[in-house]
Amino acid sequence: GQSLEQPSEVTAVEGAIVQINCTYQTSGFYGLSWYQQHDGGAPTFLSYNALDGLEETGRFSSFLSRSDSYGYLLLQELQMKDSASYFCAVRAANDYKLSFGAGTTVTVRA
Amino acid sequence: EAGVTQFPSHSVIEKGQTVTLRCDPISGHDNLYWYRRVMGKEIKFLLHFVKESKQDESGMPNNRFLAERTGGTYSTLKVQPAELEDSGVYFCASSQVMSEETQYFGPGTRLLVL
């Protein structure tokens, strides 16, 4: 099976940088995804890493180290609208379902 | 293009009753997934359809849960009879191909069993 660990909460001020770490254990690995969910809304896809390294998409970046079974999501120039829950999720090799972490609640303060 | 839609958005039922949740995936998406988030814990996989066929139902908790996708379009998830521990948010997601890295989620159905 798969298990993922990520912090439960992070609080930061507008304009700051937040890094959400995710460590995973999986029998076979295909890729690590990040999803954002605002209260009452649908989880929305943010990024995906299958290979080691950094993927940058605007203010958000995601990093993966396959050898360390570790990844992180970096939120830069935080805005109030970034207050949400962020989930890391893995896909195992030859599998199509996502296994999620418990989510990190990010609160952005003025 | 319309996203994944789910109905109802909320449902409150009593223990022992039956509830049916519906998911309409993005048009043209052959892959449809059901997930559940219970008590603020992680989102957990329930099952995966490819068109009308069940590709993987390893996450279905027990035989009180029945999922169908007749015609390969929308899907229903029936819980009969509902128990207290079935309370949670039920999400549906879809993707065009199985290997696609992105799954598109619906807003979920919030189920409360009293």
Side-chain angles (χ1 to χ4, degrees):
Chain A
Q2 288 78 36
S3 69
L4 296 92
E5 294 284 336
Q6 56 181 123
S8 59
E9 296 180 9
V10 174
T11 300
V13 297
E14 274 187 298
I17 298 173
V18 159
Q19 179 172 314
I20 303 172
N21 298 320
C22 176
T23 56
Y24 59 87
Q25 290 184 322
T26 181
S27 51
F29 176 83
Y30 191 79
L32 180 71
S33 301
W34 289 92
Y35 283 79
Q36 178 194 59
Q37 185 191 22
H38 286 99
D39 267 351
T44 55
F45 173 81
L46 289 178
S47 67
Y48 176 78
N49 296 70
L51 303 175
D52 287 356
L54 190 68
E55 295 281 343
E56 297 180 76
T57 310
R59 296 185 296 113
F60 294 177
S61 303
S62 59
F63 171 84
L64 175 66
S65 169
R66 294 172 65 117
S67 60
D68 295 323
S69 297
Y70 163 76
Y72 66 72
L73 179 69
L74 193 69
L75 315 179
Q76 298 177 291
E77 300 171 24
L78 273 180
Q79 302 176 6
M80 297 297 287
K81 67 179 181 180
D82 298 330
S83 292
S85 292
Y86 293 82
F87 297 88
C88 57
V90 295
R91 270 183 57 188
N94 300 316
D95 200 353
Y96 302 103
K97 61 179 178 281
L98 294 172
S99 297
F100 285 85
T104 300
T105 300
V106 172
T107 303
V108 182
R109 295 184 288 111
Chain B
E1 180 183 280
V4 177
T5 57
Q6 293 186 244
F7 182 84
S9 59
H10 295 79
S11 180
V12 181
I13 61 173
E14 293 189 351
K15 175 182 172 180
Q17 290 186 319
T18 298
V19 63
T20 300
L21 314 181
R22 172 170 170 146
C23 167
D24 286 79
I26 293 172
S27 178
H29 280 194
D30 287 341
N31 293 272
L32 188 149
Y33 307 82
W34 283 99
Y35 293 87
R36 177 173 74 168
R37 189 179 190 202
V38 173
M39 293 283 291
K41 296 185 177 178
E42 65 271 22
I43 300 170
K44 284 199 168 181
F45 168 81
L46 295 177
L47 86 158
H48 170 206
F49 283 100
V50 178
K51 297 185 180 179
E52 67 275 10
S53 299
K54 291 176 184 173
Q55 176 78 12
D56 180 355
E57 50 184 332
S58 61
M60 294 288 263
N62 51 61
N63 59 10
R64 295 186 293 103
F65 288 74
L66 176 64
E68 295 180 324
R69 193 182 181 197
T70 307
T73 54
Y74 71 91
S75 174
T76 58
L77 180 65
K78 180 191 288 188
V79 185
Q80 179 182 32
E83 298 289 343
L84 300 181
E85 63 264 26
D86 301 332
S87 296
V89 183
Y90 289 77
F91 292 103
C92 174
S94 72
S95 66
Q96 193 161 28
V97 296
M98 280 195 285
S99 59
E100 190 171 351
E101 62 197 42
T102 306
Q103 292 183 14
Y104 299 88
F105 280 76
T109 293
R110 281 143 192 80
L111 175 64
L112 179 60
V113 183
L114 300 175

